[in-house]
């Protein structure tokens, strides 16, 4: 059962067409992935900035609070 020249030509055209489609899909996926990674990097930067601001606020509050050890002492008698 041999392949005719026409069948072989059709198969080659189909293979070429499918290969082009696959390459286009891969390129599209790569672009979408790159865009998603860029967005995630931006969001992580925003999260890091927010965390830094919160840490600074907490540190300022802790430093501004006067320490009164007598407030933290309790006596228990048995």
């Amino acid at each position: 059962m041999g392949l005719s020249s026409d069948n072989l030509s059709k198969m080659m055209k189909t293979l070429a067409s499918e290969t082009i489609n696959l390459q286009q899909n891969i390129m599209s996926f790569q672009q979408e992935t790159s865009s998603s990674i860029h967005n995630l990097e931006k969001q992580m930067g925003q999260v890091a900035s927010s965390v830094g601001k919160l840490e600074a606020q907490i540190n300022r509050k802790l430093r501004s609070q006067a320490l009164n050890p007598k407030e933290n002492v309790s006596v228990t008698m048995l």
Side-chain angles (χ1 to χ4, degrees), residues 5 31 68:
S5 178
Q31 289 172 347
N68 188 350

Side-chain angles (χ1 to χ4, degrees), residues 10-46:
K10 286 179 185 177
M11 288 175 60
M12 292 302 291
K13 287 179 183 177
T14 300
L15 179 60
S17 175
E18 293 297 322
T19 301
I20 290 170
N21 286 337
L22 180 60
Q23 288 174 335
Q24 290 172 342
N25 288 340
I26 290 170
M27 287 175 54
S28 176
F29 179 75
Q30 286 175 331
Q31 289 172 347
E32 290 172 12
T33 301
S34 178
S35 177
S36 295
I37 290 171
H38 176 73
N39 289 335
L40 286 171
E41 288 172 341
K42 184 177 178 181
Q43 290 172 353
M44 287 302 297
Q46 292 170 343

